[in-house]
Amino acid sequence: MKLLIDTHILIWLARTPDRLNAAESALLAARSARVLISAVSIWELRLKWDRSGDARRSELLDPQAALEFAERGGFELKVLTPADCAIRLNVPIGHRDPFDEQLLIHAQLLGAHFLTRDRLLTGHPLAATIR
C-alpha cells in the first residue's frame, strides 16, 4: 500500500514519533507500506520555517532536516511536474488550504492513500484518517 504522509505526520515521525497513535504506527510499519513524502511537504515546511519565530519553530521541522530524515529513513521522496500542478482534484475539499489540496492531488496522481489527522480532510476518499 502506498501512503503519502501529511506534513504534520512527517514532523511527528522526525521529532516526536510518540505522537503517532498505535494504528498510524502500525500502518507506517507494515511490510506492505511504501511511505511517500511529497515535495509539497518540503515546500510547506520551507515557507512556514522562514515565516516563524523561534517559539513556533519548536513545532516545525527544518526543511533540510526533513530531507535528511527522509533519506536516512528510506522514505520515497516524490517530485511534482508542472503538469502535476495543473491537475484538478477529483473530489474537491471544502476549504481553501493550498497545501492540503496539492497534497491530495499528489496522492491522487501517485495512486496513494493520504495519511493525515487533519479533521478538515476526514471523509475525503483519498484520506486515510486514523483516530
Side-chain angles (χ1 to χ4, degrees):
M1 172 193 312
K2 289 190 265 186
L3 290 170
L4 182 69
I5 60 173
D6 202 346
T7 307
H8 63 271
I9 301 289
L10 171 59
I11 293 168
W12 295 346
L13 275 170
R15 295 189 66 161
T16 53
D18 58 315
R19 287 196 64 183
L20 298 170
N21 63 39
E24 291 162 341
S25 295
L27 193 57
L28 291 165
R31 291 181 63 190
S32 63
R34 285 179 52 203
V35 181
L36 315 174
I37 297 172
S38 174
V40 174
S41 287
I42 306 304
W43 177 47
E44 181 178 12
L45 287 170
R46 165 55 54 217
L47 292 176
K48 290 180 178 181
W49 186 264
D50 285 349
R51 287 163 178 74
S52 297
D54 289 338
R56 175 84 164 97
R57 283 185 177 173
S58 66
E59 302 168 13
L60 295 172
L61 181 62
D62 179 293
Q64 187 60 45
L67 285 174
E68 291 167 7
F69 171 79
E71 290 167 357
R72 278 193 321 268
F75 301 106
E76 295 181 41
L77 293 164
K78 296 298 184 180
V79 299
L80 287 170
T81 68
D84 295 339
C85 296
I87 299 287
R88 289 184 185 265
L89 189 58
N90 290 342
V91 178
I93 55 177
H95 63 286
R96 295 183 166 212
D97 184 320
F99 297 111
D100 285 349
E101 183 177 22
Q102 194 62 56
L103 283 164
L104 283 167
I105 289 169
H106 208 180
Q108 175 181 288
L109 289 166
L110 295 167
H113 295 283
F114 183 57
L115 183 59
T116 185
R117 236 196 256 171
D118 188 333
R119 289 187 182 122
L120 294 174
L121 300 176
T122 300
H124 192 279
L126 291 170
T129 49
I130 299 172
R131 303 263 175 228

